[in-house]
Amino acid sequence: MKDKIKLIRNLILISIPLVVLCVLAYALPMSYMTTEYVMWKEEYENSRAPYTDADTLIIGDSRAKSSVLPGELHDGVYNIGIGGCTPVEMYYAVKNYIDHNGAPERAIIIFAPYHMCDIDNWDQTLYFNFLSAGELMEAYTKALTTNDTIVARHGRLAEMAGYKLRLPSRYLAQMYDAGLVGNKEENLARFDSIRKDLGYLEFGSAAGDDNENYEVHHEEFDSDELVIFYYEKLVDLLSDNNVKVLITQAPVNEASAEAMHPEFTKGFEAYLKELGYRRRYYNMTVESDIPVYPNEFYGDANHLNHRGAERYTEELRKHLDDIGFWAW
Amino acid sequence: MLFNSVEFAIFLPVVAVVYFILQSVSASRKPANIWLITASYFFYMYADIRYGLLLLAVTLVTYFSGYLLRYVVHESRMKKRLLVLTVILLTGTLFFFKYAGLLSKLIAGDDALSILLPVGISFYIFQSLTYVFEIYKGTMTPAGSFISYAAFSSFFPVLLSGPIERAPHLLPQFEEKHSFDYERIRHGLIRMAYGYFLKIVLASRLAIMVDLIYDNYMDATGYQLFIGTCLYSLQIFCDFASYSTIAIGTAEILGFSLTENFRQPFFADSCSDLWRRWHISLNSWFRDYVYIPLGGNRKGKGRKYLNILIVFTLSGMWHGADITFIIWGMLSGLFQIMEEGISGIRSHFPKWLKICITFLLFTFAVCFFRADDIGQAMTVIGKVFTDFRFASILTTSPFSLGLGVFHFMFLVAGLVILLIFDLVNERTGDAAGRIAACSTPVRWTIYFLLVLMILGSTSIGAQEFIYFKF
């Protein structure tokens, strides 16, 4: 027995460096993570303790985040979109928001059509620890029942554990690159900037971009079963909480509009129309038309620059007035 | 399941704790062996559930073959036929999985069959064959029970990349009781830590440099390719020796003693010496079951040289379904023959020179092992000999070879530790034991140094072991 205790004691002692690194990785993410993390962190905190008393949320991915300037749209709007997220992450973000703060009155959902087909940043979701262990397991379990090859791929459970434990194998490289605390100032400034802009974040700052966006790579609307499941779950969650919903689309640039496969666009529109029909008793408006803006309004191939965001926000504001969105 | 994975960090303690509990509560070995079989099949099937069927088939074939050889077939000609049949069945299976894909590709081109190569197949088939061979030779009796045998043939520490254990050495250990032993477990853990050090601190970093040089071999100078190939010699040693060391340490924790697979091969002063120190379990397997039955050195020099060539060509074929491996094997045999031919001259060389020559010859052959095809190997060798560009020695910064300053210095420090560890091993035979015998402050300094170096290297990312593909 004495030897067994000695072995356990020595194993604990030898694990101290590991524990120290895990604790540092857990405690100082804003100090060593890249600026991309800040947006996730801001949304994570906002969903648990909102920065403003918003009654209208902009929900979606980077297209939503970079297209709508909440301050110029209407009073009481906050943009909780996250670049790189899919409806999977956004469902949990909204659920947490509602659980902690109660439901908003209105929500505007904007997801890039390709995000209904690809989960391209799940590793980043894990890396940023945006979802709790329970939420991850729920998504993983659901993914097992779908055609998913990302969320529930072989070895994912161990990866999830590695991220949750903040193992050095996952975080040490970044901690080293940042000199452990080297990114703190920049990250805090970005955090404040996002809050000041009520959740809006510019993704590309170029004065124009004529490259093609992600959608052009899809020849048809090959939607991902898991994403669609969560997209509809998100819509149901909002409806269950009496939230008035508008599903609308952010514009794409001319270069992409010309290159997008008609079958893809047709399939996307058909899906949304069908969703609108299936949920026709919800207080929900579904708009599937994808506006097209000149290339000069794009900061990169996928995102509006600030000038583009101003134009889109202005057009959306008028449109919302026209459809009586603010009336309840 | 990889030794360097989170899964294994959970798997091993669970297996060990349950194993010791079962040993302490039951007088019989059976429950503990059943637990080991379960753990081993889980370990093996973790990557692909289909792997388990093949392992089970190999286990059944060799177990019943051994049983028949000992208890049923008594006539020597029939015994021989049964042995040949078993060997054909197992090596045929191995050949099928290794070569069918290649043959199909040669015949059908793009329509070739896609055949899954089960990891570790070369290792456990060779290990299981030792059981049949030894029973045939009469040097051992069949396993006391099928459970013991199945535990032997599927033993997870050696399953994927060896060491290829001999049945007379490992099998009886499944019929012994292994109780908790602090000193043994500590020794095993030190060995495992050293194995992880070899893999994570050294091999993973060396791989980055080697891959960068070989991926750009057309643009690299002869000097850079020479350095890259020398580094590959070190990489493959660190990579493979790490697996063997972790396997030996893992088995030691559970109470099993495995064969040493590497004995400081780069301290060898001749190619034949090197092959007695490198992948010892495979080379001794070929020596005992191929070279000696072929006549060994008992039938004259010419026959001896032919036997060496046969053995090393087979060893090349065992490694992979590619002509590059066969050339590597033939070169390895050829260098030994040439060495014998000039043994008179060699005897006048100082030892350090012989060590250097041995390393360079090994590196020359290993170029074929690393290359994607013969064309690449020939280009690399051609550039080293005709386009060395001595000026590039001065212009090639070591920090430009894929590792930044931090990781490069880490690598250098690691290589120094490797040298010290190997020197101690060369002199005493047991560096891990020497560490365990140090005073507490020294011992713990070494422990923390190892752990910190390993943790500091984990950011490079887990990589598969090179020998998995064999």
Side-chain angles (χ1 to χ4, degrees):
Chain A
M1 195 61 194
K2 210 174 147 192
D3 276 351
K4 286 173 188 162
I5 292 168
K6 195 173 164 189
L7 179 70
I8 292 166
R9 186 199 65 197
N10 288 350
L11 285 173
I12 291 170
L13 272 176
I14 205 71
S15 304
I16 288 174
L18 172 68
V19 174
V20 168
L21 286 174
C22 293
V23 169
L24 286 174
Y26 179 83
L28 303 170
M30 282 291 275
S31 302
Y32 66 83
M33 287 283 202
T34 58
T35 50
E36 184 87 354
Y37 169 75
V38 180
M39 172 180 51
W40 294 73
K41 171 76 171 168
E42 194 279 329
E43 166 42 29
Y44 183 90
E45 288 196 2
N46 192 65
S47 64
R48 282 148 181 89
Y51 178 59
T52 63
D53 294 329
D55 56 22
T56 303
L57 298 180
I58 309 295
I59 293 170
D61 53 16
S62 57
R63 297 262 171 99
K65 195 79 172 165
S66 63
S67 299
V68 183
L69 294 156
E72 293 179 25
L73 187 67
H74 199 274
D75 287 341
V77 181
Y78 202 87
N79 192 330
I80 66 164
I82 302 175
C85 88
T86 66
V88 183
E89 296 93 337
M90 199 36 72
Y91 165 78
Y92 291 110
V94 172
K95 186 170 183 302
N96 278 314
Y97 188 97
I98 292 173
D99 288 349
H100 288 87
N101 319 294
E105 289 179 20
R106 288 167 288 268
I108 300 171
I109 300 177
I110 302 172
F111 273 104
Y114 89 93
H115 259 151
M116 312 296 274
C117 306
D118 299 322
I119 301 180
D120 53 353
N121 284 308
W122 192 248
D123 284 304
Q124 185 176 267
T125 303
L126 297 178
Y127 180 60
F128 290 155
N129 275 290
F130 184 72
L131 302 180
S132 69
E135 290 163 351
L136 283 177
M137 276 312 293
E138 193 175 278
Y140 177 85
T141 312
K142 179 61 198 171
L144 288 174
T145 66
T146 68
N147 57 2
D148 169 82
T149 56
I150 307 278
V151 176
R153 76 167 182 222
H154 183 70
R156 250 321 175 207
L157 282 176
E159 283 178 32
M160 282 153 55
Y163 285 114
K164 278 290 157 208
L165 293 170
R166 310 300 200 275
L167 290 184
S169 55
R170 305 284 168 195
Y171 295 96
L172 193 62
Q174 183 54 36
M175 288 163 78
Y176 169 73
D177 285 348
L180 190 61
V181 293
N183 293 347
K184 189 175 179 180
E185 276 183 31
E186 191 185 354
N187 284 345
L188 288 177
R190 190 177 171 92
F191 187 90
D192 290 343
S193 162
I194 294 173
R195 291 230 146 158
K196 191 167 72 67
D197 291 335
L198 302 174
Y200 163 80
L201 182 65
E202 189 179 50
F203 274 74
S205 56
D209 197 304
D210 58 1
N211 289 304
E212 294 165 355
N213 65 16
Y214 297 132
E215 276 80 7
V216 303
H217 303 299
H218 291 267
E219 291 184 4
E220 56 180 352
F221 185 62
D222 45 352
S223 61
D224 185 285
E225 204 182 331
L226 183 69
V227 175
I228 294 295
F229 172 80
Y230 271 96
Y231 189 71
E232 296 186 5
K233 203 169 151 81
L234 172 64
V235 168
D236 294 344
L237 172 73
L238 291 166
S239 179
D240 290 346
N241 285 279
N242 298 316
V243 181
K244 185 176 184 178
V245 175
L246 169 69
I247 295 177
T248 192
Q249 309 306 319
V252 296
N253 64 1
E254 288 166 330
S256 305
E258 283 168 23
M260 275 165 68
H261 292 271
E263 287 303 310
F264 177 80
T265 316
K266 215 189 291 178
F268 174 67
E269 289 175 357
Y271 164 70
L272 283 184
K273 278 181 184 146
E274 191 246 351
L275 172 71
Y277 179 74
R278 278 193 281 120
R279 304 290 200 271
R280 60 189 175 278
Y281 302 115
Y282 287 7
N283 189 2
M284 179 170 80
T285 306
V286 179
E287 295 169 349
S288 57
D289 288 345
I290 303 171
V292 180
Y293 277 15
N295 296 337
E296 67 196 65
F297 287 105
Y298 283 79
D300 63 32
N302 284 279
H303 306 106
L304 293 168
N305 54 26
H306 197 269
R307 204 156 66 91
E310 283 176 337
R311 174 176 161 173
Y312 178 69
T313 304
E314 176 60 17
E315 288 181 7
L316 182 64
R317 188 180 64 75
K318 285 180 185 161
H319 176 64
L320 295 177
D321 287 343
D322 290 347
I323 63 170
F325 184 71
W326 305 111
W328 178 237
Chain B
M1 193 184 293
L2 290 171
F3 277 165
N4 53 340
S5 66
V6 175
E7 292 95 320
F8 188 71
I10 299 164
F11 172 83
L12 180 61
V14 172
V15 171
V17 168
V18 175
Y19 180 70
F20 288 125
I21 291 172
L22 288 173
Q23 297 244 58
S24 63
V25 297
S26 169
S28 161
R29 278 283 316 177
K30 210 171 168 183
N33 281 342
I34 289 173
W35 170 244
L36 280 183
I37 295 168
T38 311
S40 296
Y41 272 81
F42 176 80
F43 178 87
Y44 192 49
M45 297 194 299
Y46 187 76
D48 194 315
I49 204 155
R50 291 170 294 179
Y51 289 171
L53 291 173
L54 187 67
L55 178 60
L56 181 64
V58 170
T59 304
L60 288 169
V61 167
T62 45
Y63 178 75
F64 285 108
S65 177
Y67 182 85
L68 293 173
L69 282 168
R70 173 74 182 185
Y71 299 116
V72 179
V73 181
H74 298 293
E75 206 241 315
S76 74
R77 213 172 58 177
M78 286 301 287
K79 273 189 164 187
K80 201 166 195 168
R81 281 183 187 169
L82 180 59
L83 177 73
V84 170
L85 182 70
T86 310
V87 171
I88 288 174
L89 201 60
L90 292 180
T91 52
T93 305
L94 185 56
F95 188 87
F96 171 78
F97 280 106
K98 284 218 169 216
Y99 282 87
L102 178 74
L103 292 177
S104 167
K105 203 172 161 187
L106 289 175
I107 297 164
D110 291 341
D111 301 326
L113 292 169
S114 171
I115 293 166
L116 172 90
L117 176 66
V119 289
I121 182 172
S122 315
F123 291 92
Y124 64 74
I125 283 189
F126 267 41
Q127 178 165 306
S128 301
L129 275 172
T130 68
Y131 176 73
V132 184
F133 287 147
E134 296 298 333
I135 290 177
Y136 175 78
K137 287 199 289 186
T139 50
M140 73 176 288
T141 53
S145 72
F146 178 73
I147 300 286
S148 302
Y149 181 72
F152 157 77
S153 68
S154 66
F155 192 42
F156 73 87
V158 298
L159 192 55
L160 301 184
S161 283
I164 300 166
E165 284 297 323
R166 304 297 181 86
H169 176 239
L170 184 58
L171 187 53
Q173 297 183 50
F174 287 93
E175 283 155 15
E176 295 164 2
K177 201 170 171 78
H178 302 128
S179 50
F180 180 92
D181 179 341
Y182 175 77
E183 290 302 327
R184 192 193 66 228
I185 291 173
R186 182 171 68 157
H187 195 268
L189 285 169
I190 295 173
R191 289 205 67 147
M192 283 184 76
Y194 183 63
Y196 285 116
F197 166 80
L198 288 177
K199 173 66 184 172
I200 300 170
V201 178
L202 298 180
S204 299
R205 282 193 175 83
L206 288 164
I208 291 170
M209 297 176 85
V210 173
D211 290 349
L212 184 79
I213 293 169
Y214 266 76
D215 288 349
N216 301 290
Y217 72 103
M218 291 301 281
D219 302 322
T221 66
Y223 162 71
Q224 289 164 343
L225 290 168
F226 172 73
I227 293 293
T229 313
C230 288
L231 291 177
Y232 184 64
S233 291
L234 289 175
Q235 182 202 336
I236 196 171
F237 164 67
C238 292
D239 194 283
F240 193 19
S242 73
Y243 193 94
S244 297
T245 309
I246 298 169
I248 292 167
T250 304
E252 200 172 355
I253 288 171
L254 296 171
F256 293 86
S257 154
L258 300 183
T259 313
E260 289 298 332
N261 217 15
F262 288 87
R263 204 163 40 78
Q264 302 79 250
F266 295 140
F267 287 171
D269 61 3
S270 68
C271 290
S272 48
D273 184 24
L274 188 143
W275 290 110
R276 283 192 293 273
R277 294 162 173 261
W278 180 284
H279 204 172
I280 297 166
S281 62
L282 178 71
N283 290 318
S284 62
W285 193 101
F286 274 114
R287 182 196 63 211
D288 294 348
Y289 302 122
V290 182
Y291 179 73
I292 291 174
L294 282 173
N297 57 5
R298 302 185 306 276
K299 295 187 176 176
K301 275 203 165 178
R303 184 60 188 269
K304 178 188 170 183
Y305 295 156
L306 179 66
N307 289 344
I308 290 174
L309 265 185
I310 291 171
V311 161
F312 277 88
T313 306
L314 285 175
S315 174
M317 290 175 74
W318 177 91
H319 278 83
D322 207 311
I323 192 76
T324 50
F325 290 114
I326 296 172
I327 292 175
W328 166 78
M330 290 175 82
L331 280 174
S332 302
L334 201 63
F335 289 151
Q336 290 181 65
I337 295 165
M338 286 162 58
E339 213 170 58
E340 278 217 27
I342 58 161
S343 57
I345 305 168
R346 282 188 81 256
S347 62
H348 299 296
F349 292 173
K351 187 165 179 172
W352 66 266
L353 183 62
K354 286 194 272 189
I355 290 174
C356 289
I357 291 171
T358 305
F359 178 77
L360 290 175
L361 288 174
F362 176 82
T363 300
F364 181 86
V366 101
C367 178
F368 287 90
F369 201 95
R370 172 62 180 79
D372 297 331
D373 50 50
I374 298 180
Q376 190 186 29
M378 295 311 289
T379 306
V380 169
I381 291 166
K383 280 193 156 199
V384 169
F385 285 104
T386 63
D387 188 24
F388 195 82
R389 282 192 255 168
F390 284 93
S392 65
I393 296 174
L394 299 173
T395 55
T396 307
S397 162
F399 309 131
S400 68
L401 298 176
L403 297 177
V405 179
F406 173 76
H407 283 296
F408 184 78
M409 298 314 288
F410 222 106
L411 174 66
V412 172
L415 288 172
V416 170
I417 291 173
L418 168 69
L419 181 68
I420 295 168
F421 204 88
D422 270 6
L423 275 170
V424 175
N425 256 335
E426 184 73 1
R427 288 186 183 168
T428 68
D430 183 17
R434 291 292 286 243
I435 293 173
C438 287
S439 64
T440 307
V442 174
R443 202 170 65 236
W444 277 88
T445 306
I446 295 171
Y447 292 163
F448 275 118
L449 188 68
L450 266 180
V451 169
L452 284 171
M453 289 194 85
I454 292 167
L455 287 177
S457 306
T458 50
S459 57
I460 290 173
Q463 294 170 341
E464 264 203 2
F465 290 86
I466 293 174
Y467 263 69
F468 267 23
K469 62 185 173 196
F470 307 134

